[in-house]
């Protein structure tokens, strides 16, 4: 039974209310990511499991190259990566792009310095986590527990006490 079932038709006005309930139920129940269940395309166009180290916190950005907010955030993230690393935190980005060449060219042209991955076309983590808003930032502890999900870089900076 859905955790949100007590809401009945409260959100029926919202065109995607059924997927809203599904997402809320999932997020209320799901609190961990098992990275070993997912494979991603790395910058060398190889399908691999993500290389996760034991940082204090893992900050995962979900994005794509046609999303202006994601691209604006990248300019700020270039300066924040050393700040995260000084706190023993690690940033990685996962793109939902399907055009490898365009994705790689953007990363190289923009000189993004942190690990970049692109979803393949099977077993998508964004589907698993019901991510449909971009950019989305997820903060996880070393065990893969989801600590917090944010939809703006400003919220991530506030979470870590960065001005």
């Amino acid at each position: 039974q859905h955790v949100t079932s007590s809401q009945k038709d409260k959100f029926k006005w919202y065109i995607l209310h059924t997927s809203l309930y599904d997402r809320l139920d999932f997020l209320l129940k799901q609190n961990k990511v098992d990275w070993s269940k997912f494979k991603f395309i790395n910058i060398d166009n190889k399908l691999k499991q993500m290389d996760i180290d034991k940082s204090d916190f893992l900050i995962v950005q979900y994005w794509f190259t046609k999303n202006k907010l994601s691209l604006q955030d990248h300019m700020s993230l270039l300066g924040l990566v050393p700040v995260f690393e000084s706190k023993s935190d690690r940033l990685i980005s996962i793109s939902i792009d399907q055009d490898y060449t365009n994705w790689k060219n953007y990363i190289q042209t923009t000189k993004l310095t942190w690990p970049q991955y692109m979803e393949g076309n099977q077993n998508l983590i964004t589907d698993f986590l019901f991510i449909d808003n971009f950019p989305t930032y997820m903060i996880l502890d070393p065990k893969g527990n989801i600590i917090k999900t944010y939809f703006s870089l400003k919220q991530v900076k506030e979470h870590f006490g960065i001005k």
Side-chain angles (χ1 to χ4, degrees), residues 30-47:
Q30 180 67 32
N31 62 359
K32 189 169 185 158
V33 175
D34 181 358
W35 293 107
S36 68
K37 293 183 179 181
F38 301 96
K39 290 191 177 183
F40 303 91
I41 298 168
N42 68 9
I43 198 73
D44 299 320
N45 203 19
K46 306 275 190 233
L47 190 63

Side-chain angles (χ1 to χ4, degrees), residues 13-161:
W13 60 269
Y14 181 60
I15 194 166
L16 299 173
H17 76 284
T18 54
S19 66
L20 173 68
Y21 284 155
D22 290 343
R23 181 182 172 117
L24 286 173
D25 279 325
F26 174 82
L27 293 174
L28 290 170
K29 294 175 187 172
Q30 180 67 32
N31 62 359
K32 189 169 185 158
V33 175
D34 181 358
W35 293 107
S36 68
K37 293 183 179 181
F38 301 96
K39 290 191 177 183
F40 303 91
I41 298 168
N42 68 9
I43 198 73
D44 299 320
N45 203 19
K46 306 275 190 233
L47 190 63
K48 299 182 83 171
Q49 287 186 326
M50 195 175 311
D51 180 25
I52 303 294
D53 63 8
K54 295 296 179 192
S55 303
D56 287 348
F57 290 100
L58 179 64
I59 306 149
V60 183
Q61 178 205 36
Y62 299 92
W63 69 287
F64 62 101
T65 56
K66 301 258 189 251
N67 181 264
K68 288 184 182 184
L69 287 175
S70 296
L71 305 186
Q72 289 171 355
D73 282 1
H74 286 160
M75 297 304 102
S76 298
L77 286 167
L78 283 166
L80 288 173
V81 170
V83 177
F84 291 139
E85 289 173 351
S86 74
K87 296 173 173 275
S88 296
D89 302 325
R90 183 167 182 224
L91 171 68
I92 62 166
S93 292
I94 299 173
S95 171
I96 63 165
D97 282 287
Q98 294 299 307
D99 181 342
Y100 169 78
T101 302
N102 183 54
W103 172 75
K104 182 177 179 178
N105 285 342
Y106 170 77
I107 291 167
Q108 290 178 331
T109 302
T110 314
K111 297 184 171 117
L112 302 183
T113 58
W114 60 95
Q116 300 288 330
Y117 297 93
M118 187 172 78
E119 284 190 313
N121 51 14
Q122 295 179 4
N123 195 26
L124 306 178
I125 193 161
T126 52
D127 286 349
F128 175 74
L129 295 171
F130 288 89
I131 294 173
D132 57 6
N133 187 31
F134 299 91
T136 292
Y137 294 89
M138 194 169 279
I139 300 173
L140 297 97
D141 72 11
K143 294 180 181 176
N145 296 310
I146 300 169
I147 304 299
K148 203 77 172 168
T149 300
Y150 295 113
F151 301 107
S152 78
L153 183 55
K154 180 182 178 196
Q155 293 172 307
V156 174
K157 288 168 59 176
E158 289 171 356
H159 179 94
F160 288 101

Side-chain angles (χ1 to χ4, degrees), residues 6-14 17 21:
S6 64
Q7 298 300 313
K8 303 208 188 291
D9 292 334
K10 189 172 185 174
F11 293 102
K12 197 163 188 121
W13 60 269
Y14 181 60
H17 76 284
Y21 284 155

